[in-house]
Amino acid sequence: MSNFQKKLRRRQNKFKQKSTRGNSRVKRAELTVRLSKNRREERLMKRRNMGRVLTNSNTNIRLQNQGVPSIKKLPQIIKGINSRDLNLVRSSVQLIRKLISVVEDPPTEKFESLWIISNLCSGTHEECKYIVDLDAIPLFFNHLSSKDANIVEQAVWALGNVVGDCKEFRDLVLNQPNCFKTIIGLFSIKHINMDIIQNIIWILSTMCSYKPRLEYSKTLELIPIFSRLINHRNNGIVVDCLYGLQYISDGDSKNIKEILQQGCVPTLIQLLSNRSPKIQLPAIKTIGNLLSGPNIYTDHLLEEGLLTNLKDLINSPRTDIVKCVCWALSNITAGNQSQITQVIQSGYLPHVARLMSSQNKKIIRKEACWIMSNIVYGGTALQISKVVKEGSIELFLQYLKISQSSRNVIICLEALNKILTISQIEAENLNCENYCVKIVEENDGVQIISKFINHKNVKISNFSSSILENYLNDDQKEEKENLEQYFVSKEFEKEHLPDFAEFDDQVPIYEF
């Protein structure tokens, strides 16, 4: 199971309606009592005379006169569902389906039946598939138009459990006639229950989570909703809206542009200062996606004060949040030199250098390494010198010792090569020693880089060879040192200075 699937499953577990002994049972009992009181007289007037009697057998449950069981028989149906007899289970589920299919039934029966179906859909994939195969999705949609808010809520729960199970079921829901129009239309219900609103947002957000993402025409309907409701007072709704924006903004410039045009960037940046990590995380992930767009989009976020609000999160105790902050910063430093300057002037380099040190987790070090390498790769000579002063050469060499990823090795070698090239040009202009070469040598850089000369990745091999030959060639250095010593040695005098005795009999060329 991928990391994305694990994260999605954790979100599903928080949402999916399950039969528990805690709040779920209390709520169910309260709702049942309230419904019973509200419709007591109606049920007495509509006492059924169809002679429907539930009969048990070892293999199935059948109804006399093909009728539908009353609410009094639900405990027996539930007992049948929990049976080990598959035929009995199937018959019990079919009876529940009949209960929610009969329009004339009092709302209590529908409510109880939908509750059971919703719980079944919250189970394993096979259990949810069993309900879907009974063509239950159209029935859920039919009950979204009910005048009873409790029935609508249970239908929404059931739909959410189906959508959250897998992409295949999500697509079946999307294929229903006027799917988005029906679901979004629930917001127009008078005195709508807060739970219904949150469940609707969860459904819409989860629809966006699967890959490939929703097509652009569908996201256009959802972006305004998510952008507006991130201002909601309910944190659960805000979180689901943020996840919806995160999924929509993932890799699509058209969607990013549409989100920015909604004017929600100031709110997104403000949410970074929220005390709840559950809000901070999807907010920074969404912003990271927005920063992956063209530089003009990045400029817009920087103008709104992103770097000020982001600085507080870089010291967060949560690894996942710090990782996302580094990723956002790497997207900024991958831009133009003006954007790199803003990151440096905002005081991020000491924090990035700290995160690259060996004291931090590997995933944090990797993301911080990307920030440093982006500055080196796209920065000016002055910007690179600032990175060097923060110890980037030592940090790149340390990271090369532990990194097993070819991609990470390449970015480190590429950054070192660029630093040594720029410092060599500076040394030649000032007629002085290349001080960056000295730093590399003092930190065992020759030995570390030499290990990659015969690497199977050609790019790694070429980079390491180029660095060693151009800047760290020990043979050339030794030859130069020997040559300097040779010129001042006695052997040089013996081989090259003339024997002045042979000129004693000759007239000097110059007279003084």
Side-chain angles (χ1 to χ4, degrees):
M1 182 180 290
S2 66
N3 288 334
F4 167 75
Q5 290 173 328
K6 291 179 180 178
K7 292 179 181 178
L8 180 60
R9 182 57 62 185
R10 285 199 294 269
R11 289 194 69 216
Q12 290 170 348
N13 290 338
K14 293 178 182 178
F15 169 79
K16 279 196 166 187
Q17 176 81 1
K18 294 184 178 180
S19 180
T20 62
R21 295 184 178 181
N23 294 334
S24 181
R25 175 173 291 181
V26 173
K27 182 179 177 183
R28 178 178 182 273
E30 290 176 349
L31 285 172
T32 303
V33 170
R34 187 168 69 251
L35 285 171
S36 299
K37 289 181 178 178
N38 291 343
R39 292 174 173 81
R40 178 180 177 84
E41 294 183 2
E42 181 181 355
R43 284 174 33 226
L44 289 173
M45 294 294 294
K46 295 184 177 180
R47 205 179 281 272
R48 285 178 255 182
N49 55 6
M50 298 173 62
R52 291 174 288 189
V53 179
L54 192 66
T55 305
N56 291 321
S57 69
N58 292 331
T59 57
N60 61 14
I61 296 179
R62 61 185 178 82
L63 300 173
Q64 290 186 0
N65 302 325
Q66 301 299 318
V68 180
S70 70
I71 192 68
K72 295 180 180 180
K73 300 300 181 181
L74 277 176
Q76 297 182 41
I77 298 176
I78 295 173
K79 185 177 179 180
I81 290 174
N82 294 324
S83 171
R84 295 184 179 181
D85 190 325
L86 295 181
N87 292 324
L88 185 59
V89 173
R90 181 179 180 83
S91 300
S92 301
V93 174
Q94 286 177 336
L95 290 176
I96 294 176
R97 182 186 179 282
K98 289 182 180 181
L99 277 173
I100 64 174
S101 302
V102 179
V103 179
E104 292 78 11
D105 265 358
T108 303
E109 279 85 341
K110 290 183 182 180
F111 170 76
E112 294 287 350
S113 302
L114 282 168
W115 191 293
I116 295 172
I117 289 290
S118 178
N119 283 344
L120 291 173
C121 292
S122 72
T124 65
H125 172 71
E126 289 73 20
E127 292 167 346
C128 188
K129 184 177 184 302
Y130 189 87
I131 301 299
V132 172
D133 289 343
L134 289 174
D135 204 24
I137 294 177
L139 293 173
F140 298 153
F141 271 90
N142 290 340
H143 285 83
L144 293 179
S145 60
S146 174
K147 295 181 180 180
D148 190 292
N150 294 301
I151 290 178
V152 173
E153 181 180 0
Q154 283 305 310
V156 171
W157 271 111
L159 269 179
N161 288 341
V162 171
V163 169
D165 190 87
C166 65
K167 178 181 177 298
E168 177 189 355
F169 295 166
R170 186 280 306 265
D171 293 340
L172 291 176
V173 172
L174 283 175
N175 291 334
Q176 294 299 310
N178 301 318
C179 171
F180 275 3
K181 184 178 180 180
T182 303
I183 295 176
I184 296 173
L186 295 174
F187 288 118
S188 61
I189 298 176
K190 291 184 180 180
H191 309 297
I192 186 171
N193 189 311
M194 189 66 69
D195 290 338
I196 296 179
I197 296 177
Q198 187 168 351
N199 293 343
I200 293 171
I201 294 299
W202 195 94
I203 291 173
L204 297 177
S205 172
T206 306
M207 283 182 173
C208 302
S209 65
Y210 297 100
K211 292 185 178 181
R213 303 298 189 194
L214 291 178
E215 57 190 51
Y216 181 61
S217 61
K218 287 185 171 62
T219 58
L220 281 178
E221 298 183 57
L222 301 180
I223 290 175
I225 297 173
F226 293 147
S227 300
R228 184 177 70 254
L229 290 179
I230 59 172
N231 292 290
H232 204 279
R233 65 180 183 277
N234 183 290
N235 283 351
I237 292 174
V238 173
V239 169
D240 289 330
C241 285
L242 288 172
Y243 274 110
L245 290 175
Q246 176 202 330
Y247 299 139
I248 291 175
S249 60
D250 183 14
D252 194 324
S253 293
K254 291 190 298 183
N255 287 338
I256 293 176
K257 181 179 179 181
E258 187 66 28
I259 292 172
L260 294 177
Q261 288 178 344
Q262 292 293 322
C264 61
V265 168
T267 305
L268 283 171
I269 294 176
Q270 185 180 359
L271 289 173
L272 295 177
S273 302
N274 192 286
R275 294 182 179 180
S276 173
K278 293 181 180 179
I279 290 179
Q280 291 174 347
L281 186 59
I284 186 58
K285 284 184 176 181
T286 302
I287 288 174
N289 285 340
L290 299 181
L291 291 169
S292 67
N295 286 338
I296 190 173
Y297 298 166
T298 301
D299 287 335
H300 178 60
L301 281 111
L302 294 178
E303 290 169 2
E304 293 291 343
L306 171 62
L307 290 175
T308 302
N309 291 56
L310 206 60
K311 203 167 184 178
D312 294 334
L313 291 183
I314 202 167
N315 297 313
S316 172
R318 288 190 48 160
T319 300
D320 51 356
I321 290 179
V322 176
K323 172 192 170 185
C324 290
V325 171
C326 290
W327 172 60
L329 288 173
S330 70
N331 282 344
I332 298 174
T333 54
N336 53 45
Q337 293 175 350
S338 172
Q339 292 163 354
I340 293 174
T341 297
Q342 292 184 61
V343 172
I344 294 174
Q345 290 180 346
S346 297
Y348 278 94
L349 283 185
H351 294 286
V352 176
R354 173 180 56 81
L355 294 175
M356 274 189 72
S357 67
S358 58
Q359 299 175 356
N360 288 286
K361 294 183 179 180
K362 188 175 180 181
I363 185 64
I364 299 296
R365 297 182 71 180
K366 183 186 81 168
E367 295 295 338
C369 184
W370 273 100
I371 299 173
M372 284 290 195
S373 63
N374 284 344
I375 295 175
V376 172
Y377 185 77
T380 63
L382 179 60
Q383 291 169 339
I384 293 175
S385 68
K386 291 183 180 296
V387 167
V388 172
K389 288 179 182 178
E390 291 295 339
S392 62
I393 294 177
E394 298 93 321
L395 294 169
F396 283 131
L397 291 173
Q398 287 178 13
Y399 193 65
L400 283 173
K401 289 181 180 180
I402 65 168
S403 180
Q404 298 178 347
S405 166
S406 296
R407 190 180 182 190
N408 296 335
V409 171
I410 289 173
I411 67 171
C412 288
L413 291 175
E414 190 175 25
L416 287 171
N417 187 65
K418 177 75 179 290
I419 291 172
L420 292 172
T421 301
I422 295 297
S423 61
Q424 181 64 29
I425 294 173
E426 182 182 3
E428 292 174 357
N429 290 336
L430 299 176
N431 193 25
C432 64
E433 184 182 6
N434 189 335
Y435 68 98
C436 289
V437 170
K438 187 177 180 180
I439 296 175
V440 172
E441 292 174 340
E442 290 176 349
N443 288 274
D444 299 325
V446 175
Q447 293 84 348
I448 294 171
I449 297 173
S450 298
K451 295 179 181 180
F452 298 102
I453 291 180
N454 297 319
H455 198 278
K456 59 182 179 180
N457 187 303
V458 177
K459 201 169 184 179
I460 292 176
S461 177
N462 291 341
F463 263 125
S464 56
S465 299
S466 176
I467 292 172
L468 292 171
E469 291 174 6
N470 294 330
Y471 309 108
L472 305 171
N473 193 326
D474 289 336
D475 294 336
Q476 290 183 359
K477 284 193 168 189
E478 185 178 351
E479 183 180 346
K480 183 179 178 181
E481 291 174 357
N482 292 337
L483 192 61
E484 290 174 349
Q485 294 177 1
Y486 177 67
F487 274 110
V488 297
S489 65
K490 294 182 178 180
E491 284 77 8
F492 176 81
E493 294 180 1
K494 291 180 181 179
E495 293 181 13
H496 297 279
L497 292 180
D499 185 359
F500 290 101
E502 61 183 285
F503 296 106
D504 287 346
D505 298 334
Q506 298 180 15
V507 179
I509 298 177
Y510 302 106
E511 293 182 356
F512 298 96

